[in-house]
PDB file of all heavy atoms in Angstrom:
ATOM      1  N   LEU I 269     -14.342  -1.942 -10.153  1.00 65.00           N
ATOM      2  CA  LEU I 269     -13.115  -1.894  -9.336  1.00 65.00           C
ATOM      3  C   LEU I 269     -12.693  -3.363  -9.040  1.00 65.00           C
ATOM      4  O   LEU I 269     -11.456  -3.693  -9.224  1.00 65.00           O
ATOM      5  CB  LEU I 269     -13.421  -1.166  -8.053  1.00 65.00           C
ATOM      6  CG  LEU I 269     -12.224  -1.089  -7.006  1.00 65.00           C
ATOM      7  CD1 LEU I 269     -11.192  -0.148  -7.479  1.00 65.00           C
ATOM      8  CD2 LEU I 269     -12.712  -0.649  -5.643  1.00 65.00           C
ATOM      9  N   VAL I 270     -13.608  -4.195  -8.578  1.00 71.00           N
ATOM     10  CA  VAL I 270     -13.351  -5.586  -8.270  1.00 71.00           C
ATOM     11  C   VAL I 270     -12.832  -6.330  -9.446  1.00 71.00           C
ATOM     12  O   VAL I 270     -11.884  -7.063  -9.419  1.00 71.00           O
ATOM     13  CB  VAL I 270     -14.563  -6.274  -7.697  1.00 71.00           C
ATOM     14  CG1 VAL I 270     -14.259  -7.686  -7.305  1.00 71.00           C
ATOM     15  CG2 VAL I 270     -14.970  -5.480  -6.350  1.00 71.00           C
ATOM     16  N   ILE I 271     -13.511  -6.217 -10.614  1.00 72.00           N
ATOM     17  CA  ILE I 271     -13.165  -6.874 -11.819  1.00 72.00           C
ATOM     18  C   ILE I 271     -11.703  -6.529 -12.336  1.00 72.00           C
ATOM     19  O   ILE I 271     -10.938  -7.427 -12.722  1.00 72.00           O
ATOM     20  CB  ILE I 271     -14.179  -6.572 -12.903  1.00 72.00           C
ATOM     21  CG1 ILE I 271     -15.488  -7.362 -12.723  1.00 72.00           C
ATOM     22  CG2 ILE I 271     -13.639  -6.892 -14.310  1.00 72.00           C
ATOM     23  CD1 ILE I 271     -15.318  -8.855 -12.830  1.00 72.00           C
ATOM     24  N   ILE I 272     -11.360  -5.256 -12.191  1.00 70.00           N
ATOM     25  CA  ILE I 272     -10.068  -4.887 -12.512  1.00 70.00           C
ATOM     26  C   ILE I 272      -9.034  -5.565 -11.646  1.00 70.00           C
ATOM     27  O   ILE I 272      -7.981  -6.066 -12.159  1.00 70.00           O
ATOM     28  CB  ILE I 272      -9.900  -3.310 -12.402  1.00 70.00           C
ATOM     29  CG1 ILE I 272     -10.714  -2.632 -13.527  1.00 70.00           C
ATOM     30  CG2 ILE I 272      -8.422  -2.916 -12.650  1.00 70.00           C
ATOM     31  CD1 ILE I 272     -10.835  -1.092 -13.330  1.00 70.00           C
ATOM     32  N   GLY I 273      -9.285  -5.589 -10.336  1.00 71.00           N
ATOM     33  CA  GLY I 273      -8.437  -6.336  -9.456  1.00 71.00           C
ATOM     34  C   GLY I 273      -8.253  -7.736  -9.777  1.00 71.00           C
ATOM     35  O   GLY I 273      -7.093  -8.219  -9.786  1.00 71.00           O
ATOM     36  N   VAL I 274      -9.357  -8.406 -10.085  1.00 74.00           N
ATOM     37  CA  VAL I 274      -9.346  -9.797 -10.459  1.00 74.00           C
ATOM     38  C   VAL I 274      -8.566 -10.124 -11.682  1.00 74.00           C
ATOM     39  O   VAL I 274      -7.766 -10.972 -11.751  1.00 74.00           O
ATOM     40  CB  VAL I 274     -10.769 -10.419 -10.528  1.00 74.00           C
ATOM     41  CG1 VAL I 274     -10.716 -11.868 -11.043  1.00 74.00           C
ATOM     42  CG2 VAL I 274     -11.530 -10.298  -9.234  1.00 74.00           C
ATOM     43  N   ARG I 275      -8.838  -9.302 -12.726  1.00 71.00           N
ATOM     44  CA  ARG I 275      -8.117  -9.425 -14.039  1.00 71.00           C
ATOM     45  C   ARG I 275      -6.677  -9.246 -13.858  1.00 71.00           C
ATOM     46  O   ARG I 275      -5.863 -10.021 -14.357  1.00 71.00           O
ATOM     47  CB  ARG I 275      -8.652  -8.354 -15.020  1.00 71.00           C
ATOM     48  CG  ARG I 275      -9.989  -8.752 -15.699  1.00 71.00           C
ATOM     49  CD  ARG I 275     -10.181  -7.893 -16.924  1.00 71.00           C
ATOM     50  NE  ARG I 275     -11.519  -7.972 -17.446  1.00 71.00           N
ATOM     51  CZ  ARG I 275     -11.998  -9.032 -18.152  1.00 71.00           C
ATOM     52  NH1 ARG I 275     -11.223 -10.088 -18.382  1.00 71.00           N
ATOM     53  NH2 ARG I 275     -13.267  -9.008 -18.569  1.00 71.00           N
ATOM     54  N   ARG I 276      -6.258  -8.213 -13.142  1.00 65.00           N
ATOM     55  CA  ARG I 276      -4.841  -7.885 -13.084  1.00 65.00           C
ATOM     56  C   ARG I 276      -4.144  -8.913 -12.182  1.00 65.00           C
ATOM     57  O   ARG I 276      -2.995  -9.220 -12.435  1.00 65.00           O
ATOM     58  CB  ARG I 276      -4.597  -6.453 -12.519  1.00 65.00           C
ATOM     59  CG  ARG I 276      -5.161  -5.317 -13.446  1.00 65.00           C
ATOM     60  CD  ARG I 276      -4.218  -5.023 -14.629  1.00 65.00           C
ATOM     61  NE  ARG I 276      -4.058  -5.965 -15.609  1.00 65.00           N
ATOM     62  CZ  ARG I 276      -4.994  -6.206 -16.620  1.00 65.00           C
ATOM     63  NH1 ARG I 276      -6.051  -5.461 -16.695  1.00 65.00           N
ATOM     64  NH2 ARG I 276      -4.774  -7.081 -17.532  1.00 65.00           N
ATOM     65  N   ALA I 277      -4.848  -9.464 -11.125  1.00 68.00           N
ATOM     66  CA  ALA I 277      -4.238 -10.420 -10.313  1.00 68.00           C
ATOM     67  C   ALA I 277      -4.044 -11.748 -11.073  1.00 68.00           C
ATOM     68  O   ALA I 277      -2.917 -12.335 -10.920  1.00 68.00           O
ATOM     69  CB  ALA I 277      -5.024 -10.690  -9.066  1.00 68.00           C
ATOM     70  N   MET I 278      -4.989 -12.088 -11.886  1.00 68.00           N
ATOM     71  CA  MET I 278      -4.882 -13.250 -12.692  1.00 68.00           C
ATOM     72  C   MET I 278      -3.747 -13.087 -13.733  1.00 68.00           C
ATOM     73  O   MET I 278      -2.935 -13.983 -14.018  1.00 68.00           O
ATOM     74  CB  MET I 278      -6.167 -13.562 -13.403  1.00 68.00           C
ATOM     75  CG  MET I 278      -6.071 -14.863 -14.275  1.00 68.00           C
ATOM     76  SD  MET I 278      -7.626 -15.241 -15.100  1.00 68.00           S
ATOM     77  CE  MET I 278      -7.861 -13.904 -16.217  1.00 68.00           C
ATOM     78  N   PHE I 279      -3.626 -11.852 -14.229  1.00 61.00           N
ATOM     79  CA  PHE I 279      -2.489 -11.616 -15.199  1.00 61.00           C
ATOM     80  C   PHE I 279      -1.163 -11.673 -14.458  1.00 61.00           C
ATOM     81  O   PHE I 279      -0.201 -12.078 -15.019  1.00 61.00           O
ATOM     82  CB  PHE I 279      -2.735 -10.234 -15.846  1.00 61.00           C
ATOM     83  CG  PHE I 279      -1.683  -9.834 -16.930  1.00 61.00           C
ATOM     84  CD1 PHE I 279      -1.660 -10.550 -18.054  1.00 61.00           C
ATOM     85  CD2 PHE I 279      -0.780  -8.880 -16.670  1.00 61.00           C
ATOM     86  CE1 PHE I 279      -0.672 -10.298 -19.054  1.00 61.00           C
ATOM     87  CE2 PHE I 279       0.231  -8.682 -17.658  1.00 61.00           C
ATOM     88  CZ  PHE I 279       0.304  -9.352 -18.838  1.00 61.00           C
ATOM     89  N   SER I 280      -1.155 -11.293 -13.198  1.00 63.00           N
ATOM     90  CA  SER I 280       0.043 -11.304 -12.377  1.00 63.00           C
ATOM     91  C   SER I 280       0.540 -12.670 -12.056  1.00 63.00           C
ATOM     92  O   SER I 280       1.758 -13.048 -12.354  1.00 63.00           O
ATOM     93  CB  SER I 280      -0.147 -10.453 -11.194  1.00 63.00           C
ATOM     94  OG  SER I 280       0.974 -10.614 -10.283  1.00 63.00           O
ATOM     95  N   ASN I 281      -0.347 -13.498 -11.413  1.00 66.00           N
ATOM     96  CA  ASN I 281       0.110 -14.784 -11.048  1.00 66.00           C
ATOM     97  C   ASN I 281      -0.503 -15.973 -11.713  1.00 66.00           C
ATOM     98  O   ASN I 281      -0.119 -17.109 -11.476  1.00 66.00           O
ATOM     99  CB  ASN I 281      -0.260 -14.921  -9.423  1.00 66.00           C
ATOM    100  CG  ASN I 281      -1.650 -14.902  -9.213  1.00 66.00           C
ATOM    101  OD1 ASN I 281      -2.449 -15.583  -9.702  1.00 66.00           O
ATOM    102  ND2 ASN I 281      -2.109 -13.941  -8.386  1.00 66.00           N
ATOM    103  N   GLU I 282      -1.401 -15.761 -12.649  1.00 73.00           N
ATOM    104  CA  GLU I 282      -1.949 -16.819 -13.529  1.00 73.00           C
ATOM    105  C   GLU I 282      -2.690 -17.876 -12.831  1.00 73.00           C
ATOM    106  O   GLU I 282      -2.822 -19.029 -13.327  1.00 73.00           O
ATOM    107  CB  GLU I 282      -0.900 -17.336 -14.468  1.00 73.00           C
ATOM    108  CG  GLU I 282      -0.408 -16.251 -15.368  1.00 73.00           C
ATOM    109  CD  GLU I 282       0.852 -16.791 -16.244  1.00 73.00           C
ATOM    110  OE1 GLU I 282       1.117 -17.897 -16.228  1.00 73.00           O
ATOM    111  OE2 GLU I 282       1.450 -15.840 -16.903  1.00 73.00           O
ATOM    112  N   ALA I 283      -3.034 -17.649 -11.554  1.00 77.00           N
ATOM    113  CA  ALA I 283      -3.830 -18.717 -10.868  1.00 77.00           C
ATOM    114  C   ALA I 283      -5.155 -18.895 -11.529  1.00 77.00           C
ATOM    115  O   ALA I 283      -5.848 -17.930 -11.789  1.00 77.00           O
ATOM    116  CB  ALA I 283      -3.911 -18.288  -9.391  1.00 77.00           C
ATOM    117  N   GLY I 284      -5.492 -20.165 -11.753  1.00 83.00           N
ATOM    118  CA  GLY I 284      -6.719 -20.494 -12.438  1.00 83.00           C
ATOM    119  C   GLY I 284      -6.634 -20.587 -13.978  1.00 83.00           C
ATOM    120  O   GLY I 284      -7.501 -21.046 -14.613  1.00 83.00           O
ATOM    121  N   LEU I 285      -5.475 -20.028 -14.436  1.00 86.00           N
ATOM    122  CA  LEU I 285      -5.267 -19.892 -15.843  1.00 86.00           C
ATOM    123  C   LEU I 285      -4.888 -21.287 -16.502  1.00 86.00           C
ATOM    124  O   LEU I 285      -5.313 -21.619 -17.577  1.00 86.00           O
ATOM    125  CB  LEU I 285      -4.258 -18.839 -16.209  1.00 86.00           C
ATOM    126  CG  LEU I 285      -3.949 -18.559 -17.675  1.00 86.00           C
ATOM    127  CD1 LEU I 285      -5.217 -18.041 -18.363  1.00 86.00           C
ATOM    128  CD2 LEU I 285      -2.856 -17.644 -17.836  1.00 86.00           C
ATOM    129  N   GLY I 286      -4.093 -22.066 -15.740  1.00 87.00           N
ATOM    130  CA  GLY I 286      -3.638 -23.342 -16.156  1.00 87.00           C
ATOM    131  C   GLY I 286      -2.332 -23.341 -16.860  1.00 87.00           C
ATOM    132  O   GLY I 286      -1.932 -24.382 -17.387  1.00 87.00           O
ATOM    133  N   SER I 287      -1.583 -22.265 -16.797  1.00 84.00           N
ATOM    134  CA  SER I 287      -0.245 -22.220 -17.433  1.00 84.00           C
ATOM    135  C   SER I 287       0.788 -22.892 -16.583  1.00 84.00           C
ATOM    136  O   SER I 287       1.559 -23.797 -17.055  1.00 84.00           O
ATOM    137  CB  SER I 287       0.144 -20.800 -17.705  1.00 84.00           C
ATOM    138  OG  SER I 287       0.002 -19.975 -16.565  1.00 84.00           O
ATOM    139  N   ALA I 288       0.939 -22.451 -15.339  1.00 82.00           N
ATOM    140  CA  ALA I 288       1.983 -23.013 -14.469  1.00 82.00           C
ATOM    141  C   ALA I 288       2.009 -24.592 -14.379  1.00 82.00           C
ATOM    142  O   ALA I 288       3.082 -25.215 -14.313  1.00 82.00           O
ATOM    143  CB  ALA I 288       1.960 -22.392 -13.086  1.00 82.00           C
ATOM    144  N   PRO I 289       0.785 -25.263 -14.343  1.00 87.00           N
ATOM    145  CA  PRO I 289       0.778 -26.703 -14.281  1.00 87.00           C
ATOM    146  C   PRO I 289       1.622 -27.377 -15.465  1.00 87.00           C
ATOM    147  O   PRO I 289       2.038 -28.466 -15.352  1.00 87.00           O
ATOM    148  CB  PRO I 289      -0.648 -27.038 -14.317  1.00 87.00           C
ATOM    149  CG  PRO I 289      -1.359 -25.919 -13.770  1.00 87.00           C
ATOM    150  CD  PRO I 289      -0.613 -24.697 -14.168  1.00 87.00           C
ATOM    151  N   MET I 290       1.720 -26.577 -16.614  1.00 85.00           N
ATOM    152  CA  MET I 290       2.476 -27.181 -17.680  1.00 85.00           C
ATOM    153  C   MET I 290       3.942 -27.365 -17.371  1.00 85.00           C
ATOM    154  O   MET I 290       4.609 -28.382 -17.694  1.00 85.00           O
ATOM    155  CB  MET I 290       2.391 -26.296 -18.914  1.00 85.00           C
ATOM    156  CG  MET I 290       0.961 -26.214 -19.486  1.00 85.00           C
ATOM    157  SD  MET I 290       0.926 -25.322 -21.001  1.00 85.00           S
ATOM    158  CE  MET I 290      -0.739 -24.901 -21.199  1.00 85.00           C
ATOM    159  N   TYR I 291       4.472 -26.427 -16.529  1.00 79.00           N
ATOM    160  CA  TYR I 291       5.855 -26.539 -16.081  1.00 79.00           C
ATOM    161  C   TYR I 291       5.979 -27.577 -14.884  1.00 79.00           C
ATOM    162  O   TYR I 291       6.852 -28.375 -14.855  1.00 79.00           O
ATOM    163  CB  TYR I 291       6.354 -25.174 -15.662  1.00 79.00           C
ATOM    164  CG  TYR I 291       7.018 -24.407 -16.764  1.00 79.00           C
ATOM    165  CD1 TYR I 291       6.490 -23.159 -17.086  1.00 79.00           C
ATOM    166  CD2 TYR I 291       8.123 -24.822 -17.505  1.00 79.00           C
ATOM    167  CE1 TYR I 291       7.065 -22.389 -18.160  1.00 79.00           C
ATOM    168  CE2 TYR I 291       8.682 -24.118 -18.518  1.00 79.00           C
ATOM    169  CZ  TYR I 291       8.074 -22.884 -18.857  1.00 79.00           C
ATOM    170  OH  TYR I 291       8.694 -22.132 -19.835  1.00 79.00           O
ATOM    171  N   HIS I 292       5.026 -27.445 -13.980  1.00 83.00           N
ATOM    172  CA  HIS I 292       5.032 -28.317 -12.861  1.00 83.00           C
ATOM    173  C   HIS I 292       4.797 -29.811 -13.187  1.00 83.00           C
ATOM    174  O   HIS I 292       5.285 -30.653 -12.572  1.00 83.00           O
ATOM    175  CB  HIS I 292       4.053 -27.859 -11.798  1.00 83.00           C
ATOM    176  CG  HIS I 292       4.361 -26.611 -11.145  1.00 83.00           C
ATOM    177  ND1 HIS I 292       5.457 -26.519 -10.232  1.00 83.00           N
ATOM    178  CD2 HIS I 292       3.922 -25.305 -11.252  1.00 83.00           C
ATOM    179  CE1 HIS I 292       5.533 -25.264  -9.809  1.00 83.00           C
ATOM    180  NE2 HIS I 292       4.593 -24.532 -10.385  1.00 83.00           N
ATOM    181  N   GLY I 293       4.151 -30.050 -14.351  1.00 82.00           N
ATOM    182  CA  GLY I 293       3.956 -31.340 -14.881  1.00 82.00           C
ATOM    183  C   GLY I 293       5.199 -32.051 -15.313  1.00 82.00           C
ATOM    184  O   GLY I 293       5.292 -33.188 -15.494  1.00 82.00           O
ATOM    185  N   GLN I 294       6.274 -31.178 -15.556  1.00 80.00           N
ATOM    186  CA  GLN I 294       7.520 -31.722 -16.054  1.00 80.00           C
ATOM    187  C   GLN I 294       8.626 -31.970 -14.829  1.00 80.00           C
ATOM    188  O   GLN I 294       9.723 -32.354 -15.093  1.00 80.00           O
ATOM    189  CB  GLN I 294       8.202 -30.664 -16.941  1.00 80.00           C
ATOM    190  CG  GLN I 294       7.378 -30.224 -18.166  1.00 80.00           C
ATOM    191  CD  GLN I 294       7.209 -31.401 -19.140  1.00 80.00           C
ATOM    192  OE1 GLN I 294       6.284 -32.175 -19.033  1.00 80.00           O
ATOM    193  NE2 GLN I 294       8.156 -31.556 -19.979  1.00 80.00           N
ATOM    194  N   SER I 295       8.198 -31.705 -13.579  1.00 81.00           N
ATOM    195  CA  SER I 295       9.052 -31.836 -12.431  1.00 81.00           C
ATOM    196  C   SER I 295       9.416 -33.249 -12.191  1.00 81.00           C
ATOM    197  O   SER I 295       8.633 -34.184 -12.368  1.00 81.00           O
ATOM    198  CB  SER I 295       8.379 -31.246 -11.221  1.00 81.00           C
ATOM    199  OG  SER I 295       8.215 -29.876 -11.342  1.00 81.00           O
TER     200      SER I 295
END
Side-chain angles (χ1 to χ4, degrees):
L269 178 75
V270 176
I271 283 295
I272 290 168
V274 174
R275 281 199 191 282
R276 296 280 69 81
M278 180 176 66
F279 184 68
S280 168
N281 61 57
E282 296 174 11
L285 184 64
S287 53
M290 295 188 198
Y291 273 118
H292 289 289
Q294 304 291 96
S295 292

